[in-house]
Amino acid sequence: MRSLILRVPQARFSSFSLILAHLGTRQKATMASLSLLDGEAEALMRKAIEAALGGDTVALRLCLERIAPVRKDAPVQFALPEMSSAEDAAKAAASVLAAVSDGELTPSEGAHVMSLIETYRRTLELSELEARVIALEQGHAA
């Protein structure tokens, strides 16, 4: 993949900085649009509601999406053992697999929970390693 470099007298811009500059421009345009709509939000919403009540299905969908947006995530509840060491994470992973196989969790829910368990396991493992290193350093200092 080639990198685009724009040559301007006494300045160099990589493609990444050009993208950032473009994103900044987009942000400014968005902010300008929002400031124009700011004073009209109530009137626009009233008009959309009137259109929805009048039978306009697009306006109805717009209103309903604002009132009750599509839920992207839902909480799950199932038994999960306490995790206080990296070894406990294996037990927790086994309980997630059991919950998926029993139908308590969907496979995608199980995958998300497993990802959380793995992240927590790495955190526990890192904490254990840090404690060992500190103990070793204190042992050598004495």
Side-chain angles (χ1 to χ4, degrees):
M1 181 174 182
R2 291 178 36 187
S3 177
L4 171 68
I5 297 189
L6 178 64
R7 294 183 190 262
V8 177
Q10 302 203 4
R12 294 179 99 171
F13 299 98
S14 68
S15 59
F16 182 71
S17 63
L18 289 175
I19 290 170
L20 288 178
H22 175 69
L23 291 176
T25 304
R26 183 175 179 190
Q27 174 69 11
K28 289 176 188 173
T30 301
M31 295 302 286
S33 298
L34 289 176
S35 68
L36 287 173
L37 290 173
D38 196 29
E40 304 297 328
E42 189 175 330
L44 288 170
M45 200 60 208
R46 173 61 36 212
K47 193 73 168 170
I49 291 169
E50 289 172 6
L53 292 173
D56 185 339
T57 57
V58 174
L60 178 62
R61 185 180 317 139
L62 174 74
C63 291
L64 289 175
E65 286 174 351
R66 297 302 178 262
I67 293 169
V70 176
R71 193 171 197 171
K72 295 182 180 178
D73 212 356
V76 295
Q77 293 184 352
F78 66 100
L80 190 64
E82 180 93 20
M83 287 187 292
S84 57
S85 69
E87 187 177 314
D88 292 340
K91 294 174 188 170
S95 70
V96 171
L97 289 175
V100 170
S101 67
D102 292 343
E104 292 179 55
L105 295 175
T106 65
S108 63
E109 290 171 336
H112 289 297
V113 173
M114 289 291 263
S115 175
L116 291 170
I117 290 171
E118 174 60 17
T119 300
Y120 190 65
R121 182 200 62 79
R122 285 191 306 240
T123 302
L124 288 172
E125 197 173 67
L126 186 60
S127 296
E128 290 173 6
L129 288 172
E130 182 180 29
R132 287 180 181 179
V133 167
I134 290 170
L136 285 171
E137 288 176 347
Q138 288 175 349
H140 285 297

